[in-house]
Amino acid sequence: MKAMKILCAGLVAAMMFTGCKAAGNGASDLGSDISSGISDVESGVSSGMSNLESNASSGISDGKSDLSSALSDGNSDNNNSSESAPASGASSEVAAEIHVSPATVDLSSLDGTKQGWGQGVQLDDQNRPISSLQFQEKYGKYDAYFIGNDEKVIYLTFDEGYENGYTATILDTLKEKNVPAVFFVTMDYVKKEPDLVKRMIDEGHAVGNHSDKHVSYPTVSTERCEQETMNLHHYIDENFGYKMTLFRPPMGEFSERVLAQTQQLGYKTMLWSYAYKDWDPKNQMDNTKALEKVNGALHNGAIYLLHAVGSTNNDILGDFIDYARSQGYEFKLFQ
C-alpha cells in the first residue's frame, strides 16, 4: 500500500511538472521533462518497494521471534510437568486407575456367579489350605480374607445364627484364657440375645455382621444385599453404640460382585481357612476326635470358623487354646 501511494504521487508530480514546462519552454522540452518525471517516479517506486520489503522483513522477523518465544515457553511448561510425573513413568491417569476407590467400581460389570466357600483338603507344606491362598490372592483387592498373613497367629471366629445355651460358657473360657474372638450375628440373634451381644462388646470381642435375615447374597439383588447388611449395621449402632466393620456372608456364599459391594459399604469380608462339621447340635463329633482335628489344622494366619450351637466346641475350646499356644501360636483379634 505504501509503494502504491508513492507511485501515484510520483505520476501526479510528473504530469504537473511536465505541463508547466510545456507551457513555459515549449514542446521541444516536453520529451526531456517527461523523461525526468518518469525517472523521478521510478526512483519513488524503488524507494517505496525498498521500504515495503524492509517492513515485511521486519514483520516476519517479529513473527518468528514471537513464535520462537511461544514455543520456548511451551517447552518450558512441558519440562516442568515432566518433573512432577510418576517416577515409574506411568501417567497420572494410569496411576489413578491402579488406586481406584471402591466406590467407583461398577458393580454391574463384575461377575455375579455364586460361589460356595469351603477351605478344601489340599494343603501346602506349611499345612495351609491351597484354596485359601489362591482365593486370597484373587479376591484380596476387595478386602476379602480367606486366610491371614504368614505369621504364627490364630483368629477365632464364631457364627451365631441362634442361641443354644453355649455362648455364655464360651465367653467365660475366652475371658479366662484372655483370648479375643469375632462373633458374627444375625438380626434375629441380636434382638433375642441383647445381653450376650453387649457382653461380647464389653469384654473386648468384635461383633460381626452376618446379615439381617441370613439370605444367600449372590441370589438376590444388590439393593437387597445392601438392605440385609445395613439394616443390621444401623440396628447395632443405634442400640449398642457399636459400629461393625467385619462381614461374613451367610452360608459362606458369595460372588465377586458381593465382595465388591460389601467393600463399598465399608466392610471387610471374613471367610475362613478352617472349619469342620460342627453346626448340627444333634450330630456332634466326639470331643477327642474334634480336638484332634482342630489341633491338626493349625497353620500360620489361620482363621477358624466355629459354631456356638453345639456342646463339642464349648467343651474343647480351652484345651485347643492351650495346645495352640504350646506350639508357639498367638491369638489375636481380627481387625
Side-chain angles (χ1 to χ4, degrees), residues 124-330:
D124 70 359
D125 58 0
Q126 298 181 53
N127 207 39
R128 298 176 300 177
I130 293 175
S131 59
S132 292
L133 296 169
Q134 293 173 336
F135 274 63
Q136 186 60 51
E137 182 177 358
K138 183 176 182 179
Y139 295 116
K141 61 185 176 181
Y142 298 118
D143 284 333
Y145 296 88
F146 300 81
I147 192 169
N149 293 331
D150 187 12
E151 54 186 0
K152 299 198 72 138
V153 172
I154 305 295
Y155 303 100
L156 279 184
T157 72
F158 295 87
D159 280 5
E160 299 277 8
Y162 62 95
E163 181 54 43
N164 202 30
Y166 297 106
T167 302
T169 308
I170 288 173
L171 285 168
D172 290 341
T173 301
L174 294 175
K175 185 176 182 178
E176 176 190 346
K177 301 293 183 179
N178 193 28
V179 170
V182 182
F183 291 87
F184 288 97
V185 299
T186 62
M187 181 73 83
D188 184 66
Y189 186 91
V190 172
K191 289 184 175 181
K192 291 180 178 178
E193 306 296 337
D195 292 340
L196 286 174
V197 174
K198 185 176 184 303
R199 183 179 170 188
M200 294 170 189
I201 297 170
D202 290 345
E203 294 183 2
H205 303 293
V207 174
N209 194 325
H210 202 34
S211 83
D212 183 347
K213 294 180 172 59
H214 204 262
V215 300
S216 174
Y217 274 47
T219 66
V220 298
S221 67
T222 54
E223 290 79 12
R224 175 68 187 279
C225 288
E226 181 173 353
Q227 291 172 0
E228 284 286 326
T229 301
M230 299 312 293
N231 284 351
L232 182 57
H233 179 91
H234 294 311
Y235 185 88
I236 291 286
D237 186 15
E238 292 168 3
N239 290 275
F240 297 89
Y242 182 87
K243 294 185 182 300
M244 297 184 293
T245 60
L246 301 175
F247 173 79
R248 175 166 287 162
M251 299 162 284
E253 295 177 348
F254 67 94
S255 68
E256 182 183 22
R257 185 182 303 162
V258 167
L259 297 179
Q261 183 180 20
T262 302
Q263 183 186 47
Q264 289 184 4
L265 294 175
Y267 276 85
K268 296 177 181 178
T269 299
M270 192 176 187
L271 279 301
W272 59 88
S273 62
Y274 179 75
Y276 75 106
K277 191 176 180 180
D278 64 344
W279 59 85
D280 186 353
K282 297 180 179 179
N283 188 24
Q284 289 288 288
M285 189 177 294
D286 173 77
N287 286 357
T288 301
K289 184 178 179 180
L291 184 59
E292 289 176 356
K293 284 181 70 68
V294 296
N295 286 349
L298 285 171
H299 56 269
N300 286 5
I303 301 174
Y304 272 72
L305 162 59
L306 302 174
H307 287 85
V309 296
S311 61
T312 300
N313 288 334
N314 178 71
D315 295 340
I316 69 172
L317 181 59
D319 292 335
F320 167 61
I321 292 172
D322 292 342
Y323 178 78
R325 282 174 167 164
S326 73
Q327 300 303 304
Y329 287 92
E330 180 182 3

